Amino acid sequence: MRSEQMTKGVDRAPHRALLKAIGYTDNELKRPLIGVAQSANEVIPGHIHLDKICQAVKDGIRMAGGTPMEFSTIGICDGIAMGHTGMKYSLASRELIADSVESMAQAYPFDGLVLLPNCDKIVPGMIMAGARLDLPTIVISGGPMRTGVCNGQEIDLITVFEGMGKFRVGELTEAELTELENAACPGAGSCSGMFTANSMNCLTEALGIALPGNGTTLAIDAARIRLAKTSGEAIMHLVDKNITMRQILTKEAFHNALAVDMAFGGSTNTSLHLPAIAHEAGIELTLQDFNEVSGKTPHICNMSPGGPDHMEDLHQAGGVSAIMKTLSLSGLLNEDALSVTGKTIREVLAAPNVIVANPETIRPLNNPYHPTGGLAVLTGNLAPDGAVVKQSAVAPEMLEHQGPARVFNSEEEAFSAIVNQNINPGDVIVIRYEGPQGGPGMREMLSPTAALAGIGLDKEVALLTDGRFSGGTRGAAIGHISPEAAAGGLIGLVQEGDQIKIDIPNRSLDLLIDKTELAQRQAAWQKPEAKIKKGYLARYARQVSSAAKGAVMV
C-alpha cells in the first residue's frame, strides 16, 4: 500500500508515534489510509453542513475496512464575493485548492482520496488535484439547496439579484426586496438552479467520478447522508482494484460530460473548468470540442436561470442518470467509459431505476427545448480564440444583434451606468480589463446582468466581457472573450459608439471597423499598469493562461 511509506517498518516508528498522538491505533494504521478532503466552513451556505456529510463518508470508509484521515481546504462563495474585490480571488482560489489537496496527498501518502466539495471553484479545484495525483478517488458533494418560495412562487438567488434592478426602477419596494432576500435561500446547499456549482456537481456523474445522484440529491435529504456512506465504501473498492482517477478521466469521459452539459444547459464556467481538469489528466479539451458536441446535442432541460426548473425538479425527474440514458438512446454517449462504481456507463444506465419520471423536465430528444446544446462558442475578429455564451438563456430576439458599443474598463463602471439607467435599448455593453490577467482573476459579473434583467433590458441589450458570468446569468451575455484586453486583445481597442455584430446561430462576434482605423488604434495601445502588484493575485496574473485554455496557471 502507498501509505506504508509512512507507517511500515522500524524506520517509521517516529511517524507512527505522531499518528498515535492523534489517537490512531496499530490496527487502524495497518488498514488502507484514505484522505478525505473537505471544505466545511461557516461562510458558505453550500458548506455549512459538510461536517455532517464528512462524518458519513468516514463512517462508510470504516465500515468497508479503511481508516479515514480528514483534512480541509479553503472555499469562496461567488454569490457573497460578487460585485467587490473579493470576486477577484474566486477563480484564482481554484488553483490554491488544487495545490493544497495535492500537497496534503503527497505529504501524507494516502492509498485513496475522497473529495468532498460544494460550490463554484471548490468542485473543479479538488477534481484538478485528483486528476493530477491519479490515485483511487471518488467525489461526493454537499448537494444542492432546496428551492425558495415567496408568495407561492419558486425563487432562487438570481431572483434577489434581479430584484435589485426592479427596486431601482420602482417595480419592487424595499420591503418586497427584503421578503425575497429572506426566502430565496432556505438553507444549506449549493444555490438551487443550474448554476456553476450544480453544473460541475452534475458533471461528476457524467465523468464517472461520482456515484449516481451526486449532482441532484438535496443537501438536506437523508439520502445525501446515505450516498456519502456509500461513497466511503466505494473508495475502498477502488483502492482494492487500483482503479485510479485517470483510468476514469479519459477523452471519452470528457465528451460524455460535454454532451450532458449541453443537454442540461450548464454554466458557461464549465468551459473553464472542464479544460482545466482535462489538462491535469493529460488530455487536451478545446473550445472547439464544446462547439462540436453542442452542435449535435439537443438542449432537453429548461433549468434556472434560463427556465423554471430547479435541482429538486431534475432529481425527481430522474436526475443526471436519466439525462444520460436519454442521450445514450441516440448514441450521444460513449457507454464503454468506466465509472467509480467499477462498472461501465452502459452497465450503470441499465439499472431498472434509471428512468425519466417527468418528460417536461427531461424532454425526449425529438422534442427538445432547443435543437442544439446550451452553450455556444463564438469566434470572429473580436474573439479570435473564442468567447462563450449560454445560448439556452438568451431571448430569441437577441440571438442576432448589432448595436453601438458602450465601453467600460471595469464592472463597477458598467454597473453604475446600468442602475442609473444610462444604457439604451440596442446598446452593446463592453466590460474589459476583467480577464484572468487584467482583472486579475476574471471576476464573475452577475450584478450587471441581473440589473439589466431587473430593469427589463435583458431582451434589448447585449453585454460582452473578457471576464466571465455567473452560472445564474441570463440574457445575451457573452464572456471569456480571448485574447483579453490586458493581453492586447481587440476588445481593448473598442471605442464608444463602435458597431458590434453578434450572430450566435452562426457562432460569430465581430467589431465592424475599418482596417486602417484598427491599425492606428493598435499602434497607439499601451498595456495598462497592473492593478495588483503584490501578493497571490499578482503572482496569479503573471502565471495564468488565457480563458480559452481554461485559465490554468503555467
Side-chain angles (χ1 to χ4, degrees):
M1 295 189 298
R2 185 172 181 264
S3 61
E4 289 179 348
Q5 296 175 55
M6 66 175 174
T7 61
K8 188 175 181 179
V10 173
D11 291 344
R12 296 297 179 254
H15 304 66
R16 292 193 296 273
L18 289 166
L19 291 168
K20 287 178 179 180
I22 301 170
Y24 293 111
T25 67
D26 285 324
N27 189 37
E28 285 179 299
L29 296 178
K30 290 176 182 176
R31 298 173 181 173
L33 303 185
I34 309 300
V36 181
Q38 57 90 1
S39 48
N41 58 56
E42 296 182 351
V43 292
I44 307 179
H47 292 220
I48 192 66
H49 65 309
L50 289 190
D51 55 342
K52 297 179 178 65
I53 307 294
C54 188
Q55 185 58 55
V57 168
K58 293 190 291 185
D59 290 344
I61 292 169
R62 289 193 178 97
M63 287 189 294
T67 298
M69 291 184 166
E70 174 188 346
F71 63 93
S72 302
T73 71
I74 63 168
I76 292 175
C77 173
D78 283 18
I80 298 172
M82 194 75 65
H84 58 87
T85 301
M87 181 50 75
K88 293 179 182 290
Y89 286 86
S90 174
L91 181 59
S93 74
R94 186 188 71 181
E95 316 308 308
L96 289 175
I97 292 163
D99 289 350
S100 66
V101 174
E102 175 202 358
S103 298
M104 289 295 287
Q106 294 289 33
Y108 302 89
F110 302 121
D111 299 300
L113 275 177
V114 178
L115 305 177
L116 177 49
N118 219 24
C119 304
D120 302 299
K121 310 310 158 296
I122 301 93
V123 179
M126 285 198 188
I127 299 172
M128 288 166 65
R132 189 183 300 172
L133 291 160
D134 195 28
L135 298 173
T137 305
I138 193 169
V139 179
I140 168 67
S141 75
M145 186 183 291
R146 183 165 55 86
T147 308
V149 177
C150 186
N151 296 321
Q153 299 294 314
E154 291 190 345
I155 63 172
D156 54 36
L157 179 65
I158 308 309
T159 315
V160 187
F161 271 98
E162 294 182 359
M164 291 190 305
K166 292 181 179 181
F167 170 75
R168 294 278 187 171
V169 297
E171 290 187 21
L172 281 182
T173 66
E174 188 172 356
E176 289 171 329
L177 182 58
T178 299
E179 192 174 6
L180 290 178
E181 172 189 329
N182 290 337
C185 301
S190 49
C191 297
S192 57
M194 190 57 81
F195 314 144
T196 303
N198 290 327
S199 295
M200 290 306 302
N201 279 332
C202 286
L203 293 182
T204 61
E205 293 188 48
L207 287 167
I209 56 177
L211 295 179
N214 180 62
T216 58
T217 304
L218 287 182
I220 60 172
D221 281 0
R224 173 64 58 179
I225 298 293
R226 296 195 297 271
L227 185 64
K229 290 179 181 178
T230 306
S231 298
E233 293 176 305
I235 187 60
M236 298 306 298
H237 174 76
L238 294 172
V239 170
D240 181 58
K241 299 297 182 183
N242 195 31
I243 298 173
T244 67
M245 194 71 146
R246 291 193 197 176
Q247 292 174 39
I248 298 173
L249 288 179
T250 61
K251 184 75 170 181
E252 292 75 19
F254 282 102
H255 275 263
N256 285 348
L258 290 181
V260 173
D261 191 10
M262 299 307 160
F264 63 48
S267 164
T268 52
N269 285 312
T270 63
S271 68
L272 287 172
H273 301 322
L274 286 176
I277 295 166
H279 173 76
E280 299 292 352
I283 294 169
E284 184 179 17
L285 191 69
T286 68
L287 292 181
Q288 185 56 37
D289 290 317
F290 280 76
N291 257 354
E292 288 178 4
V293 176
S294 179
K296 60 187 180 183
T297 308
H299 175 230
I300 58 176
C301 300
N302 202 16
M303 305 289 294
S304 177
D309 288 333
H310 291 86
M311 297 308 296
E312 58 197 275
D313 301 308
L314 180 57
H315 185 68
Q316 292 163 7
V320 176
S321 292
I323 296 174
M324 295 177 71
K325 183 66 171 283
T326 301
L327 296 175
S328 72
L329 296 176
S330 291
L332 292 172
L333 293 184
N334 186 308
E335 296 182 74
D336 293 324
L338 186 62
S339 81
V340 290
T341 62
K343 301 176 181 178
T344 65
I345 296 298
R346 178 179 292 104
E347 292 172 311
V348 171
L349 298 182
N353 64 333
V354 180
I355 59 171
V356 174
N358 185 336
E360 274 302 299
T361 300
I362 304 174
R363 285 191 173 184
L365 294 178
N366 61 4
N367 183 34
Y369 287 100
H370 300 96
T372 57
L375 300 184
V377 175
L378 313 184
T379 55
N381 69 355
L382 196 51
D385 294 341
V388 185
V389 61
K390 182 185 272 195
Q391 61 179 345
S392 59
V394 178
E397 55 266 42
M398 290 299 293
L399 290 172
E400 297 180 58
H401 180 76
Q402 181 176 323
R406 301 295 306 279
V407 181
F408 304 95
N409 288 333
S410 72
E411 175 189 1
E412 289 81 2
E413 292 177 17
F415 182 68
S416 177
I418 293 167
V419 297
N420 290 313
Q421 300 183 59
N422 292 326
I423 300 298
N424 303 310
D427 284 350
V428 179
I429 298 171
V430 176
I431 305 177
R432 62 193 182 190
Y433 296 106
E434 290 285 7
Q437 297 175 35
M442 201 180 183
R443 287 193 287 182
E444 277 188 358
M445 288 177 275
L446 179 56
S447 296
T449 58
L452 280 175
I455 64 177
L457 286 178
D458 57 305
K459 295 181 180 179
E460 298 179 84
V461 171
L463 199 158
L464 314 181
T465 184
D466 54 6
R468 60 194 177 91
F469 296 113
S470 164
T473 290
R474 62 185 174 97
I478 301 169
H480 305 211
I481 289 177
S482 301
E484 62 175 288
L490 187 58
I491 187 174
L493 305 180
V494 179
Q495 294 183 2
E496 190 84 5
D498 285 349
Q499 288 290 308
I500 293 176
K501 184 177 181 181
I502 301 165
D503 188 344
I504 295 174
N506 289 307
R507 306 292 192 260
S508 64
L509 179 64
D510 290 289
L511 175 66
L512 305 181
I513 185 173
D514 177 79
K515 291 183 179 179
T516 302
E517 172 66 16
L518 176 58
Q520 291 174 347
R521 293 185 192 181
Q522 287 173 326
W525 182 81
Q526 293 182 334
K527 185 176 179 67
E529 187 177 345
K531 296 177 184 176
I532 295 179
K533 298 180 177 61
K534 62 181 180 179
Y536 173 58
L537 279 184
R539 297 197 305 274
Y540 179 84
R542 292 193 296 267
Q543 297 175 359
V544 70
S545 72
S546 164
K549 295 183 178 180
V552 297
M553 290 180 72
V554 294

